[in-house]
Amino acid sequence: ASRPEDAFEMIRRYLRSFGPATVQDVAYWIGANLRDVKPFWDAMCAEFVPIETDGKIRYLLAADLHDLLAMEDASLPVRLIPAFDPLLLAPRDKGELLDMRFHKRIYGAAAWVYPALLVDGRVVANWTYERKPKHIEIVIHPFTRINKRLLPAIKRDARHLAAAISRDASVTIAD
């Protein structure tokens, strides 16, 4: 960013989209050195609220806290997210999203990022699809056993994705 206001706005936008987060996450996302981002981050500290998640301190924009607290009882939906989804790319520490034993099943060779199934905000499977004339066949490849109670929610999200290209969806859980 050529002007401090631009750097401040970039940090705000990152936190609004991907927070709670750390300064390391922001530097990673924009491809900058931590030493270049940290002075801007430090200058903005009055705008942040520290939040503890998974035993780590991360930060939110204080201006967003009220809206997030209003969603306190909200549950995270089951979601099929596409390859290279920003959620998969945003955090520097990928262990926040998935058990690192399965890292290579999402983050492949040559910087490839596979489609993922999110349950309660965590990646629990990758998925593949095949286009047919009138539908899409989606195959879920779970990292560990998937609770069968999740199947209706997975199918609902698959139908939503397929509708975007005017198709129906079928879902299979691979063994």
Side-chain angles (χ1 to χ4, degrees):
S2 59
R3 300 177 311 151
E5 302 85 36
D6 294 338
F8 297 148
E9 185 59 23
M10 193 169 6
I11 291 169
R12 285 184 198 103
R13 288 182 184 197
Y14 180 89
L15 288 175
R16 190 160 286 124
S17 298
F18 301 112
T22 65
V23 65
Q24 290 86 356
D25 291 329
V26 174
Y28 173 79
W29 178 250
I30 63 176
N33 289 317
L34 182 59
R35 70 179 176 272
D36 295 330
V37 176
K38 187 118 173 52
F40 296 104
W41 179 274
D42 292 345
M44 298 176 68
C45 69
E47 294 185 42
F48 303 153
V49 173
I51 303 289
E52 184 177 333
T53 59
D54 298 329
K56 295 180 183 177
I57 299 295
R58 295 177 177 89
Y59 298 87
L60 288 172
L61 289 173
D64 293 343
L65 188 59
H66 175 70
D67 291 339
L68 291 171
L69 289 175
M71 298 174 11
E72 187 174 344
D73 293 330
S75 61
L76 293 170
V78 170
R79 282 288 183 259
L80 291 165
I81 59 174
F84 298 98
D85 189 88
L87 180 67
L88 297 172
L89 299 171
R92 182 171 178 259
D93 179 3
K94 305 305 186 202
E96 297 174 12
L97 291 173
L98 78 154
D99 182 327
M100 292 304 284
R101 293 178 297 161
F102 307 111
H103 184 270
K104 289 185 177 181
R105 293 182 62 184
I106 295 297
Y107 302 97
W112 188 261
V113 181
Y114 293 97
L117 171 65
L118 292 178
V119 175
D120 294 327
R122 301 274 298 168
V123 176
V124 299
N126 63 23
W127 58 276
T128 56
Y129 70 94
E130 186 175 339
R131 284 183 189 224
K132 301 291 183 175
K134 294 185 180 178
H135 74 283
I136 294 177
E137 290 180 0
I138 294 175
V139 179
I140 308 295
H141 304 276
F143 301 156
T144 58
R145 187 175 197 95
I146 289 182
N147 189 321
K148 297 291 184 203
R149 291 180 301 129
L150 296 174
L151 197 53
I154 295 168
K155 287 181 177 182
R156 185 171 41 254
D157 203 51
R159 284 191 304 272
H160 176 74
L161 284 176
I165 56 171
S166 302
R167 286 186 167 79
D168 287 327
S170 66
V171 176
T172 306
I173 308 285
D175 293 329

